[in-house]
Amino acid sequence: MLREHLPDVEVWAYGSRVDGRSHDGSALDLVLRGPGLKEIDLTRLADFEQALHDSTIPFLVEARDWARLPERFHGEIEREYVVFRLGTGAAKERGWRPLPFSEAVQVNPLARLEQGREYPYVSMADVTAGNRSVSAHVHRIYAGGGSRFRSGDTLMARITPCLENGKIGRYGSEGQPVVAHGSTEFIVVRGRPGVTDSDFTFYLTRWEEVRAYAIGQMTGTSGRQRVPTGSLAHLLVSVPPLDEQRRMAHILGTLDDKIELNQRMSETLDAMVRALFESWFVSFDPVRARTRDGDPDVLERVAGLFPDSFAGSEVGDVPSGWEVVPLTEIMDVNPARRLRKGDLSAYLGMSDMPTRGHAPSRPVTRRPYGSGMRFVNGDTLLARITPCLENGKTAYVDFLATDETGWGSTEYIVMRPKPPLPTEFAYCLARSSAFRHFAIQNMTGTSGRQRVSATALSHFRLPAPPVEIAAEFGVVAGDLLNRASLAARESQALRALREALLPALLSGSLRVDGTRELRR
């Protein structure tokens, strides 16, 4: 609305929603500072106020013209305010240039690929909301279609609900060829030489003002809406000088560097837990270590807990004495959890379910309980619907308050080991290749809406480990996952800081001087 009706006006927010004294019914107080601090045309003000009146903003917005306010109010406002939006006039005074988005950056720029050759391929599932870097996990032959990009380019999802969910990332080709291709549903964005830095371009594309504008331009049938690439030519953005862009990108990039370091640490610890599960309960390495075909030094501390021979079974050779049982004999599937309708509780949506690692990348929100699967700390959540199951959306719940019950999508299956099995056992099982293959093979339903049922999973059979081995696994796995969770929680805090800084920097309400310090 400000962009449409008052593009040249600087906007400050003040009052209770700025100083922390607000409540649900508080108004958002704005003061409008026209070019040269002169009075704003009354017709333009009336049009803006009518747009506010017609909008769906869930609280009252009071907008006042700075030039028409009594002088005594100016001092009160200046004591505590936030620059809500930098007008084009003020931006020009600071050397910022107002440019159409498609002139500030390159949209779908050239990247040379040869048809018939194999290149890294990035799918939509490879882009995680809230994460900066995007990597290709497969190679595919380039046939001439889809998006093309090179290292450093920004990939923005253009289709619903991926764009609304924040699927915007930057392709990084560490250890891979510089050029790649990917989904047809990406808009590729690159810095324009002499105008925008590519690091800054990524954060500009992630800015909520740009994303909200793109979402508002979507066209098409419900559920398959897309952003027309040409619509970005009508979005006006303020572009700071290159040196200021680089300082902004340095600040935000330093946070992302630490987030990615924590993420790698968390994923490594997670992988260690799953590797231990694979070794003990799938490959049975400690048993092999006790046979003459194995290495007698492998897992010497725990090898004595395992038998020294195998026995045949319906699922292949298993350690002697281990009984093969159906899943529901050692695990509760969709156990009962107490949560009353309307209770405000932690909510984990499908879009925030991790595909790698055990923890959501973003903090859970709180919503009144309506309908959905309920869970507590120690439960494992498995997405049961296509393509989420195939993409590996699985979480281990350790992010709730003590004794809290959370809830989420109806498309989750909740798993909880029965004692004495440790809770981490269910998470590792849900991540294991054999279990995932079984779940995917047992999906039913129409194309595009297939899902696996809890009943189908109950037929999965596996060897049940003895109490002593289960307890030993729980000690090691619990420590590793706890350390992974600490790294994940720190990253969530850093993401929150980044999300607060990004709009403040790009709107101009926070400035960066030559020593890389922030100032209002």
Side-chain angles (χ1 to χ4, degrees):
M1 287 180 283
L2 288 166
R3 188 186 303 114
E4 180 180 354
H5 298 286
L6 303 170
D8 56 345
V9 173
E10 181 173 330
V11 183
W12 291 2
Y14 68 98
S16 62
R17 287 194 177 265
V18 170
D19 62 23
R21 295 181 292 107
S22 66
H23 52 78
D24 290 344
S26 295
L28 172 62
D29 294 307
L30 302 178
V31 63
L32 311 174
R33 293 162 54 90
L37 299 184
K38 295 179 181 178
E39 291 185 355
I40 301 169
D41 181 76
L42 289 174
T43 302
R44 296 173 67 202
L45 282 177
D47 289 344
F48 175 64
E49 289 172 355
Q50 185 62 48
L52 285 175
H53 180 270
D54 295 340
S55 74
T56 58
I57 297 174
F59 48 80
L60 181 65
V61 179
E62 295 280 2
R64 299 172 177 85
D65 185 355
W66 175 270
R68 290 185 168 89
L69 285 174
E71 282 288 336
R72 66 180 184 276
F73 288 164
H74 291 179
E76 294 180 13
I77 294 171
E78 287 173 331
R79 277 198 294 271
E80 189 162 12
Y81 68 91
V82 171
V83 178
F84 190 77
R85 182 177 183 274
L86 195 66
T88 53
K92 287 179 181 178
E93 292 174 9
R94 289 169 45 179
W96 292 36
R97 289 189 290 167
L99 291 172
F101 185 80
S102 57
E103 293 182 21
V105 300
Q106 301 177 75
V107 179
N108 290 335
L110 180 66
R112 296 187 183 278
L113 280 73
E114 295 180 25
Q115 288 194 38
R117 283 191 58 186
E118 193 175 76
Y119 294 93
Y121 180 87
V122 176
S123 69
M124 191 63 74
D126 292 323
V127 183
T128 301
N131 287 358
R132 174 182 59 181
S133 295
V134 176
S135 299
H137 296 96
V138 297
H139 284 65
R140 293 186 186 176
I141 292 175
Y142 175 63
S147 55
R148 296 172 294 173
F149 40 87
R150 69 189 190 197
S151 180
D153 287 349
T154 295
L155 309 181
M156 178 175 75
R158 69 186 189 110
I159 191 169
T160 190
C162 301
L163 179 56
E164 295 94 320
N165 291 340
K167 280 185 173 275
I168 300 172
R170 191 171 182 218
Y171 175 64
S173 61
E174 184 177 348
Q176 299 176 342
V178 172
V179 291
H181 61 129
S183 169
T184 58
E185 303 299 352
F186 290 136
I187 292 175
V188 181
V189 184
R190 183 184 300 164
R192 186 175 292 278
V195 180
T196 43
D197 173 77
S198 283
D199 290 337
F200 172 83
T201 295
F202 166 67
Y203 293 109
L204 177 66
T205 307
R206 282 200 69 251
W207 188 20
E208 183 60 29
E209 283 219 7
V210 172
R211 189 161 67 96
Y213 175 86
I215 291 170
Q217 302 303 306
M218 283 181 158
T219 60
T221 58
S222 177
R224 301 302 294 174
Q225 291 186 313
R226 294 174 173 83
V227 180
T229 304
S231 67
L232 297 176
H234 306 294
L235 169 62
L236 197 67
V237 293
S238 293
V239 180
L242 277 167
D243 61 341
E244 193 169 353
Q245 292 178 33
R246 294 183 182 115
R247 289 195 292 270
M248 290 179 184
H250 171 80
I251 291 169
L252 298 169
T254 299
L255 292 173
D256 271 321
D257 288 344
K258 177 59 175 171
I259 290 168
E260 291 180 353
L261 177 63
N262 282 348
Q263 185 173 343
R264 289 193 296 271
M265 182 187 305
S266 181
E267 289 179 359
T268 298
L269 292 166
D270 187 273
M272 290 169 64
V273 175
R274 290 185 284 111
L276 184 66
F277 178 89
E278 176 81 16
S279 174
W280 286 16
F281 306 120
V282 179
S283 301
F284 309 115
D285 291 333
V287 180
R288 301 184 190 283
R290 299 193 65 190
T291 70
R292 57 173 170 260
D293 294 327
D295 180 352
D297 295 326
V298 172
L299 300 172
E300 182 178 351
R301 184 171 64 85
V302 297
L305 298 175
F306 288 79
D308 58 5
S309 62
F310 288 98
S313 79
E314 63 198 87
V315 297
D317 288 345
V318 300
S320 296
W322 288 28
E323 183 183 1
V324 175
V325 299
L327 180 70
T328 50
E329 187 164 320
I330 62 171
M331 202 165 299
D332 290 322
V333 179
N334 292 340
R337 302 289 185 230
R338 291 183 176 274
L339 194 62
R340 294 177 302 181
K341 203 173 188 69
D343 282 352
L344 190 66
S345 191
Y347 174 84
L348 177 64
M350 185 67 79
S351 62
D352 290 325
M353 278 277 277
T355 55
R356 297 193 301 273
H358 77 283
S361 61
R362 296 186 290 192
V364 293
T365 58
R366 300 187 69 79
R367 295 186 186 180
Y369 174 64
S371 64
M373 301 307 294
R374 294 161 290 185
F375 47 82
V376 298
N377 280 338
D379 287 348
T380 290
L381 308 180
L382 174 74
R384 70 189 189 110
I385 192 169
T386 191
C388 302
L389 174 57
E390 296 95 319
N391 292 341
K393 283 184 173 282
T394 307
Y396 177 74
V397 181
D398 61 358
F399 46 80
L400 301 176
T402 303
D403 298 327
E404 183 181 20
T405 299
W407 68 289
S409 171
T410 58
E411 302 297 353
Y412 296 156
I413 287 177
V414 183
M415 299 164 57
R416 179 81 175 210
K418 298 177 181 178
L421 280 185
T423 56
E424 297 83 5
F425 188 94
Y427 170 69
C428 294
L429 178 67
R431 284 276 187 213
S432 68
S433 297
F435 185 83
R436 291 186 65 242
H437 178 77
F438 180 89
I440 292 168
Q441 291 300 308
N442 282 275
M443 297 175 89
T444 58
T446 58
S447 177
R449 300 302 295 173
Q450 291 186 314
R451 47 177 62 83
V452 65
S453 67
T455 301
L457 286 184
S458 68
H459 297 299
F460 182 80
R461 297 179 69 82
L462 72 165
V467 173
E468 298 83 358
I469 296 174
E472 185 71 27
F473 174 76
V475 170
V476 179
D479 176 64
L480 292 173
L481 281 188
N482 182 60
R483 288 157 58 190
S485 293
L486 291 175
R489 281 195 284 272
E490 182 181 44
S491 289
Q492 289 179 353
L494 291 171
R495 284 189 181 92
L497 176 59
R498 180 195 63 197
E499 295 308 304
L501 284 176
L502 191 151
L505 289 169
L506 294 181
S507 68
S509 62
L510 282 181
R511 296 187 61 183
V512 189
D513 66 18
T515 60
R516 290 181 177 149
E517 291 180 349
L518 295 177
R519 55 195 174 99
R520 175 175 285 178

